[in-house]
Amino acid sequence: MIPEFNYVRAQSLTEAQQQLSTDGARVCAGGSDLLGCLRDEVFDCSKVVSVTGLDELRGITRSRDGGVNIGALTTIAELAANSTVQELYPGLAQAAAEVASPQLRNQGTIGGNICQKPRCWYYRGEFECLRKGGDTCYAMAGENQYHCILGGYRCYIVHPSDTAPALLALNASVQIAGPRGERVVPIEDFHVAPRDDVQRETVLEDNEIVVAISIPQPASGLRSSYRKVRARGSWDFALAGVALALAFDADRVTGGRVVLSGAAPIPWRSREVENTIIGQRIDATLAREAADAAMSEAAALKNNGYKIPLFKGVIEEQLLAIASA
Amino acid sequence: MNDPKEALYYIDGVDVPETPPARDLDQEPWGETTVVGKPLPRVDGYERVSGTAVYPADMSLPRMLYGAILRCPHPNAVVRSVDTSAAAAMSGVHVVMSGFTPSSRALQAHRQLIESNLFNPHCRHEGETVAAVAADNPYRAQDALRAITVEYDVLPFVADERRALEPDAPQVREGGNQVSDTQQYQRGDIEQGFVEADVVLEEDYRCECEIHTPMELHGCVAQWDGDSLTLWESTQGVYNVQAQAAAALGVPLSKVRVVNRYMGGGFGSKLAAGKYTVIAALLAKEAARPVKLVLTREETLLAVGNRPPSNMHLKVGVKRDGTLTAIQFTGTGTGGSQQAGGTSLLDWIVRDLYVCPNVRTETTDIYINAGPARPFRAPGHPQCSWALEQMMDALAQAIDMDPVELRLRNIPTVSQGRNNIPYTTTGLRACLEEGARSFEWQQTKDAITTESDSHIRRGIGVASGLWVAGGGGPPSTAIVKIYADGSVNLNMGASDIGTGTKTVMAMVVAEELAIAPGDVQIEWADTGSTQYATGSGGSKTVPTESPAVRAAAIDVKAQLLELAAGEMEVDASLLSLADGKVVAGGDSPKEVEISALRSLRRRGSVTGIGYRGPNPSGKAVNPFVAQFCEVEVNTRTGEVNILRFLGAHDSGRVLNLLTYRNQVFGGITMGIGYGMTEQRVLDVDQTGKMANKNWHDYKLPTALDVPADMTCLPIDLNDTEANTTGAKGIGEPATIPTAPAVANAIYNATGVRVTGTPIDPTKLVSALAAARGED
Ligand SMILES: Cc1cc2nc3c(=O)[nH]c(=O)nc-3n(C[C@H](O)[C@H](O)[C@H](O)COP(=O)(O)OP(=O)(O)OC[C@H]3O[C@@H](n4cnc5c(N)ncnc54)[C@H](O)[C@@H]3O)c2cc1C
Ligand code: SF4
């Protein structure tokens, strides 16, 4: 049961920011993640500031540079079904369609999706772990089958979002409104690794709000895809996922990005794969080589060693698939 | 244990009275039927779907309070003190009780329900009850729980039964972590059997702990009227709850009325009263107001039941011609911190399913600091089936024989586990043969072996099984009343736990009285106003209740026809019922509307009583099953896509084809969860707490995990010896062989055998990589 809190529904961005400047206030968009955190008492929250009245934060529009601008309140379902997104960035549409379940996709927003809290079951459970201000990471020596194999440092979460890896592959940026005006942060710099701060998932300050996400015009010959492996067919986070946004000239990869989900505490750009394939034609041997390279730095915990062959398998499969797409 | 009935969970501890002799009326088996057997929708479908059906959690009574329970967060701790003063002072909080409250201690000890105290000072599992409150709304009740301060002495724990017998393991109870002596069973000469074998295989298997997660949470509403208690409880058996609550409270049965009209699933976890039942009763008594106490999802995942984890070893010998020569089985399991049947019925399938003269089994039940097991849809059987059916598959391959054929070579006609008494009927052969034909087993097998070497591989699997019970038996009493206008009322004590019991019974009445099932008014599951019935468990509700209901309908019909015979001046033997009329056949056809019978109108109603007669002596009544499935496996990622399933079932006569199919599809769905997604995760190395006590981390299968292509193939053998409706149970057999059928199909697709549940990519991808020689 959710402990008591105050609730305000802001009528303007300015009001939202004002409301947020009191201690213990939190932004609420769809609430699908926030309310779960409150019910599980993951953190304190004395005031819930709803931004759902801010219509200017909704909708998907073409931007002047030929890309798109996605309002933070756009629902995951809208994103998945949007024809422009499907056409220009099929990888993002696929990622959105892989999120959670139909109900959650209707309720959850893209802004909330990239800001959502980790799913580590110690963090969500009654454990005062490092990320919650305690002094132990329970996952390190505990039940860590769903934890990270890359980028772990004191904390071993995986980033839960499916859309963020696709956005990172597509070189998106996040527009943020704060008391001192707007700033734009490339999504690559938006998420915070535990090495930098173990108690923080994003660079957002307490009174900052994500307004929109913009994606540049697709480079010529860009192909994108998102593939997610999970333990059950729906309503489940990624065990392993791979977002590809690769530019091809005929059958040669000329550039682009490869991002892993379910691998690391932040959406994980695999430079090893990128370096292996850029400038090359992808064939079975190269795909395998790239898959092996992706895992060269991976370090398994007690129960998540399966992720290494799993990532190799899914990367290999997806590189071959995009090459023949 | 020659008669496993001795240990059957659903009659364990419940006194079984003698059945009065049946009236001497014709109860010949049905021939052709007009209603029975049809795929008819639920008589209460509208109520359930529209939301007008009132479940216990929907109940609201004037001045009702809300109860909540504070539970121990540690797997092993002693409660030093409980400070309830702050909670008790909060506004809207009416009662706060703990183990230090006198009223909570004045209880009679009742077996597993309350070991010694309602709030045991030594909490041996996470989620053990520590204190309880009643407040005027649910929020205040939760706030009150937060305001209670408990001092615990936290003790070392053991949360893995595989480590609990090590010498330095913390002791869950005095006297060590082994619950009782290892149970042994033996027939024939096992060593000789292995000598005679051409091939002997050995393997270890493990099934993870599965948790009942009925859609409707556990709970009740308790109301006192003077010294009489009424409980509206979500339960599979109102009479069980009545007996246990009365015993715990030390009051006569007549002072406890238990009612449960609609309920949303139990799967065995709601066969008994819970501590929560008694707590609600005490809170209500102390507050002198009704109390509703419904557990949270977390509480139900921790504290009210599970299917125990099982560790099994099998060694089996077979001859080249498929004859099994020896089966040796060892199993361990745990019912948690209580004696809760951690290995109950774990070896039954090994003893009884296939012909084998030489069998030895050993099972050892172990304590750990975890929540108690409760019976779960076919206790012990899915575990044993997981092991034996995968072993049969491996043996078939080792002797180069088709796995269906190997099973067909070993079909018993007698129950070997019961000193060779015969089964009334066994459809095992028909399940396998007709199932294989309908599934197109051979054609699919031929098609698959000629497929290309893509990384997506297809495979098929089979597994068969039987359920140790499923015949039902006495006692049961049912009453059927015909009112003056010819409409009908059925009174029975059995619960309809969502399976369609009411519908099936209405059809039985309709068959005998020639009316529409929807015209039968039903009163059910109320100890105050309906007849005695045992709990709905053991796949026995239909074979237990339907003969009693039929007998009552036959009884009332006979009386009605006698009345009519007098008025119509025709011999009663020439009369029958049709369309609300009494019809006389013979030379001078006559008919009278039932509502026009003067003697009936004067009496107001005619009442028939039916009792469940005894089962045939010296025979076993069991249902049989074979299931087949086809899967597609991504060998790079270990993802499994189950393409189709077929369940061929011998559960005697099919009384309602639709509810029968529901059971088969539901059983297969649950079996897929068991084999593919579900598992309790305890933080065994650090805190002993459950890591996944919520519905997204405890992964039930979703619609996308279950094939759209599911077929139910009833092997409709009318078991006339078993009882007067010819039906056997279907609920439990439907889930027994599902998981190993999938495991066998995965093996068929990939050549990789996964011997532990659940087979998700976390297990399969590593096994596949290892098989390719990668690390
Ligand atoms: C059972 C379950 C399964 C799920 N499975 C998946 C999955 O498979 N893949 C996946 O990607 N996600 C999954 N999710 C997460 C889900 O997609 C997110 O909960 C949802 O997208 C969040 O959107 P929201 O609008 O509801 O966010 P909210 O719950 O309102 O907010 C989430 C967080 O973001 C902050 N926030 C929200 N909007 C803004 C904003 N504009 N500016 C600044 N901060 C903001 C909030 O303060 C809060 O901390 C799952 C969630 C659940 C509950
Ligand atoms: S992985 Fe991070 S969130 Fe999980 S227990 Fe460790 S510190 Fe806490």
Side-chain angles (χ1 to χ4, degrees):
Chain A
M1 199 160 285
I2 301 180
E4 223 169 62
F5 58 81
N6 294 314
Y7 175 82
V8 283
R9 187 157 189 257
Q11 300 304 320
S12 69
L13 205 51
T14 327
E15 188 199 344
Q17 279 158 7
Q18 276 162 3
Q19 290 290 357
L20 283 169
S21 21
T22 44
D23 258 4
R26 305 247 175 196
V27 182
C28 182
S32 62
D33 182 50
L34 183 71
L35 296 186
C37 288
L38 300 191
R39 184 185 179 282
D40 293 340
E41 302 186 46
V42 176
F43 43 69
D44 295 331
C45 171
S46 53
K47 194 201 293 178
V48 170
V49 181
S50 170
V51 292
T52 55
L54 310 183
D55 285 338
E56 63 268 38
L57 268 54
R58 270 176 221 288
I60 300 171
T61 48
R62 282 304 280 270
S63 51
R64 249 173 268 118
D65 72 352
V68 298
N69 205 47
I70 306 168
L73 290 179
T74 306
T75 66
I76 307 293
E78 284 163 0
L79 190 59
N82 183 275
S83 55
T84 309
V85 174
Q86 286 175 351
E87 189 193 318
L88 298 183
Y89 317 104
L92 179 59
Q94 288 161 16
E98 294 283 326
V99 168
S101 64
Q103 294 94 326
L104 284 158
R105 291 195 291 275
N106 285 331
Q107 181 68 18
T109 64
I110 183 69
N113 190 272
I114 64 169
C115 296
Q116 63 177 298
K117 294 290 180 180
R119 282 282 159 182
C120 167
W121 46 30
Y122 296 104
Y123 177 77
R124 296 269 171 164
E126 306 146 7
F127 303 86
E128 267 305 296
C129 78
L130 209 56
R131 185 167 289 274
K132 290 200 288 194
D135 53 15
T136 319
C137 169
Y138 288 92
M140 211 152 81
E143 295 300 313
N144 48 32
Q145 40 274 54
Y146 301 126
H147 288 75
C148 71
I149 50 168
L150 287 164
Y153 175 80
R154 299 175 67 216
C155 167
Y156 295 84
I157 57 164
V158 291
H159 197 273
S161 170
D162 287 310
T163 61
L167 290 168
L168 173 49
L170 293 164
N171 192 19
S173 14
V174 185
Q175 290 168 39
I176 300 168
R180 289 176 302 279
E182 285 222 353
R183 59 175 176 142
V184 175
V185 177
I187 197 161
E188 187 154 23
D189 302 328
F190 183 73
H191 294 106
V192 175
R195 190 178 296 279
D196 298 323
D197 187 342
V198 79
Q199 289 192 44
R200 179 186 266 266
E201 294 82 32
T202 70
V203 297
L204 288 181
E205 298 298 331
D206 284 347
N207 48 13
E208 284 187 315
I209 297 173
V210 174
V211 191
I213 294 160
S214 50
I215 313 178
Q217 181 177 38
S220 81
L222 187 80
R223 300 176 198 169
S224 67
S225 67
Y226 182 73
R227 166 81 157 93
K228 172 176 176 179
V229 178
R230 51 185 150 194
R232 68 173 168 191
S234 174
W235 194 21
D236 206 3
F237 292 88
L239 295 173
V242 50
L244 299 178
L246 299 175
F248 282 82
D249 179 8
D251 56 359
R252 191 180 296 275
V253 181
T254 56
R257 292 179 173 188
V258 175
V259 184
L260 308 182
S261 61
I266 53 173
W268 191 258
R269 199 167 158 190
S270 181
R271 305 240 182 219
E272 292 86 350
V273 176
E274 292 170 12
N275 292 340
T276 311
I277 60 175
I278 289 174
Q280 310 289 322
R281 289 189 177 80
I282 298 175
D283 60 11
T285 316
L286 190 78
R288 191 68 210 171
E289 201 182 303
D292 286 342
M295 291 294 105
S296 55
E297 300 291 313
L301 301 164
K302 187 180 57 177
N303 298 330
N304 68 359
Y306 71 90
K307 284 200 174 185
I308 293 175
L310 178 54
F311 272 106
K312 288 184 183 176
V314 74
I315 291 168
E316 182 184 7
E317 177 190 78
Q318 289 306 296
L319 289 176
L320 290 171
I322 205 165
S324 62
Chain B
M1 194 184 78
N2 278 331
D3 183 2
K5 277 251 168 67
E6 299 288 315
L8 279 184
Y9 61 87
Y10 56 81
I11 52 176
D12 190 20
V14 178
D15 293 333
V16 179
E18 285 299 315
T19 307
R23 278 228 303 158
D24 188 19
L25 291 167
D26 177 15
Q27 299 204 23
E28 283 302 299
W30 285 311
E32 282 285 293
T33 51
T34 52
V35 181
V36 159
K38 296 255 152 57
L40 295 190
R42 309 290 173 105
V43 292
D44 55 4
Y46 178 82
E47 290 81 343
R48 288 183 187 267
V49 172
S50 65
T52 61
V54 176
Y55 293 74
D58 300 324
M59 292 264 312
S60 181
L61 296 171
R63 304 175 70 241
M64 186 175 82
L65 302 178
Y66 294 81
I69 297 175
L70 183 71
R71 294 179 180 272
C72 178
H74 310 289
N76 196 16
V78 170
V79 176
R80 274 283 146 256
S81 67
V82 181
D83 182 353
T84 57
S85 51
M90 290 168 74
S91 88
V93 174
H94 290 251
V95 188
V96 185
M97 64 172 57
S98 74
F100 300 92
T101 314
S103 62
S104 79
R105 298 187 138 184
L107 292 169
Q108 315 279 318
H110 189 272
R111 296 197 324 119
Q112 295 164 14
L113 173 61
I114 300 158
E115 306 164 87
S116 56
N117 253 311
L118 203 49
F119 303 102
N120 202 344
H122 187 166
C123 299
R124 293 186 170 90
H125 65 87
E126 184 191 11
E128 182 59 288
T129 48
V130 174
V133 301
D136 55 11
N137 68 45
Y139 313 98
R140 283 187 160 153
Q142 291 295 329
D143 286 345
L145 292 187
R146 286 196 187 94
I148 297 174
T149 320
V150 185
E151 264 185 340
Y152 294 101
D153 282 348
V154 178
L155 304 173
F157 66 88
V158 57
D160 184 343
E161 75 286 355
R162 291 164 292 185
R163 300 182 204 162
L165 296 184
E166 287 167 11
D168 56 348
Q171 302 282 290
V172 179
R173 292 179 176 276
E174 277 170 33
N177 290 341
Q178 188 166 329
V179 175
S180 55
D181 291 343
T182 293
Q183 302 278 308
Q184 291 173 329
Y185 167 86
Q186 182 158 354
R187 68 170 181 257
D189 181 342
I190 191 92
E191 301 310 335
Q192 185 56 32
F194 286 124
V195 171
E196 287 166 14
D198 293 321
V199 173
V200 175
L201 295 182
E202 274 191 79
E203 187 67 82
D204 288 313
Y205 304 88
R206 170 164 170 89
C207 290
E208 293 295 338
C209 176
E210 181 189 24
I211 301 182
H212 313 77
T213 51
M215 191 78 98
E216 183 191 20
L217 297 161
H218 292 61
C220 64
V221 176
Q223 182 184 37
W224 291 88
D225 180 5
D227 61 356
S228 282
L229 171 68
T230 303
L231 288 164
W232 289 266
E233 168 133 339
S234 174
T235 177
Q236 298 172 241
V238 287
Y239 278 93
N240 293 8
V241 173
Q242 181 200 36
Q244 291 151 355
L249 297 165
V251 300
L253 293 173
S254 63
K255 295 290 181 194
V256 180
R257 177 176 178 191
V258 181
V259 186
N260 178 30
R261 290 170 63 77
Y262 294 91
M263 72 95 76
F267 307 111
S269 70
K270 293 178 184 166
L271 280 162
K275 278 191 177 183
Y276 54 84
T277 314
V278 182
I279 291 173
L282 291 181
L283 290 172
K285 180 150 210 174
E286 196 145 321
R289 287 169 70 159
V291 168
K292 170 145 93 184
L293 204 174
V294 178
L295 304 192
T296 61
R297 184 58 67 189
E298 286 88 342
E299 289 178 278
T300 66
L301 285 163
L302 280 174
V304 290
N306 57 63
R307 181 190 299 287
S310 307
N311 310 287
M312 298 165 285
H313 182 82
L314 261 180
K315 180 177 174 189
V316 182
V318 69
K319 289 191 189 166
R320 293 244 162 257
D321 68 0
T323 310
L324 295 173
T325 61
I327 311 180
Q328 188 176 343
F329 175 90
T330 330
T332 62
T334 177
S337 65
Q338 298 175 17
Q339 272 192 30
T343 49
S344 86
L345 297 169
L346 184 59
D347 61 351
W348 184 253
I349 282 194
V350 160
R351 297 193 205 179
D352 216 44
L353 181 58
Y354 297 119
V355 172
C356 184
N358 309 303
V359 173
R360 185 153 75 204
T361 73
E362 264 187 24
T363 55
T364 307
D365 192 0
I366 298 166
Y367 287 124
I368 62 168
N369 294 105
R374 278 193 176 184
F376 193 160
R377 202 170 189 172
H381 287 50
Q383 294 100 305
C384 192
S385 183
W386 175 255
L388 183 62
E389 292 304 299
Q390 291 207 61
M391 175 56 88
M392 289 295 280
D393 212 53
L395 291 168
Q397 196 191 20
I399 60 169
D400 200 15
M401 183 180 280
D402 182 273
V404 176
E405 184 56 32
L406 176 60
R407 287 170 174 84
L408 286 170
R409 299 255 169 126
N410 292 287
I411 291 189
T413 52
V414 296
S415 173
Q416 300 161 92
R418 301 179 180 87
N419 293 326
N420 297 330
I421 62 171
Y423 301 112
T424 48
T425 49
T426 165
L428 183 55
R429 175 173 299 282
C431 288
L432 282 160
E433 285 177 345
E434 290 179 35
R437 201 173 308 128
S438 170
F439 184 80
E440 303 194 324
W441 173 261
Q442 191 57 48
Q443 296 91 312
T444 316
K445 198 166 128 179
D446 296 343
I448 285 173
T449 42
T450 57
E451 256 189 340
S452 76
D453 60 352
S454 139
H455 73 288
I456 309 287
R457 305 300 300 265
R458 276 205 302 155
I460 53 174
V462 60
S464 44
L466 61 69
W467 163 233
V468 67
S476 167
T477 305
I479 291 183
V480 173
K481 233 177 346 193
I482 299 184
Y483 293 116
D485 64 354
S487 63
V488 173
N489 171 284
L490 165 65
N491 176 302
M492 62 171 188
S495 297
D496 184 336
I497 58 175
T499 53
T501 305
K502 281 160 65 190
T503 307
V504 169
M505 300 311 150
M507 289 167 74
V508 169
V509 173
E511 185 69 41
E512 291 298 337
L513 301 182
I515 55 171
D519 292 343
V520 182
Q521 177 190 46
I522 305 175
E523 282 170 75
W524 76 105
D526 179 344
T527 62
S529 65
T530 65
Q531 306 311 307
Y532 183 82
T534 46
S536 287
S539 303
K540 69 162 198 21
T541 309
V542 159
T544 296
E545 308 301 333
S546 66
V549 170
R550 185 173 178 224
I554 289 174
D555 184 16
V556 79
K557 178 164 71 177
Q559 294 179 50
L560 183 75
L561 296 184
E562 274 160 32
L563 288 183
E567 288 189 30
M568 294 167 79
E569 296 176 346
V570 186
D571 192 87
S573 65
L574 297 173
L575 296 178
S576 60
L577 295 175
D579 276 342
K581 299 188 188 88
V582 182
V583 181
D587 303 336
S588 51
K590 276 195 208 170
E591 55 177 49
V592 176
E593 298 274 342
I594 295 175
S595 56
L597 292 171
R598 289 184 316 276
S599 44
L600 174 61
R601 269 198 298 195
R602 232 172 290 130
R603 270 172 66 166
S605 68
V606 192
T607 301
I609 303 186
Y611 300 104
R612 174 60 156 88
N615 284 345
S617 68
K619 297 223 167 167
V621 185
N622 292 157
F624 295 86
V625 45
Q627 291 181 350
F628 301 78
C629 72
E630 180 168 0
V631 302
E632 200 174 70
V633 182
N634 182 326
T635 57
R636 288 200 178 114
T637 61
E639 292 162 291
V640 177
N641 183 8
I642 302 175
L643 300 171
R644 61 190 179 111
F645 237 101
L646 181 141
H649 286 264
D650 159 28
S651 287
R653 184 195 270 276
V654 178
L655 299 192
N656 177 336
L657 187 56
L658 201 56
T659 52
Y660 187 100
R661 269 190 215 134
N662 290 164
Q663 286 303 306
V664 171
F665 295 162
I668 289 173
T669 302
M670 190 173 246
I672 287 173
Y674 192 52
M676 307 302 289
T677 60
E678 291 179 53
Q679 137 179 54
R680 174 179 76 184
V681 179
L682 299 177
D683 185 29
V684 289
D685 291 330
Q686 300 177 118
T687 62
K689 287 165 71 68
M690 186 173 166
N692 59 343
K693 57 174 187 249
N694 60 65
W695 252 2
H696 40 110
D697 290 321
Y698 183 84
K699 297 183 202 295
L700 291 165
T702 66
L704 294 183
D705 300 290
V706 178
D709 182 354
M710 277 209 251
T711 308
C712 166
L713 182 73
I715 306 297
D716 201 338
L717 294 174
N718 187 4
D719 194 338
T720 53
E721 250 188 298
N723 61 60
T724 62
T725 58
K728 303 189 279 192
I730 180 70
E732 280 156 304
T735 205
I736 291 169
T738 307
V742 182
N744 289 341
I746 292 170
Y747 178 81
N748 182 245
T750 63
V752 165
R753 193 164 281 294
V754 181
T755 57
T757 66
I759 309 186
D760 60 18
T762 72
K763 287 205 186 66
L764 188 52
V765 77
S766 313
L768 287 162
R772 287 193 298 262
E774 301 164 14
D775 47 34

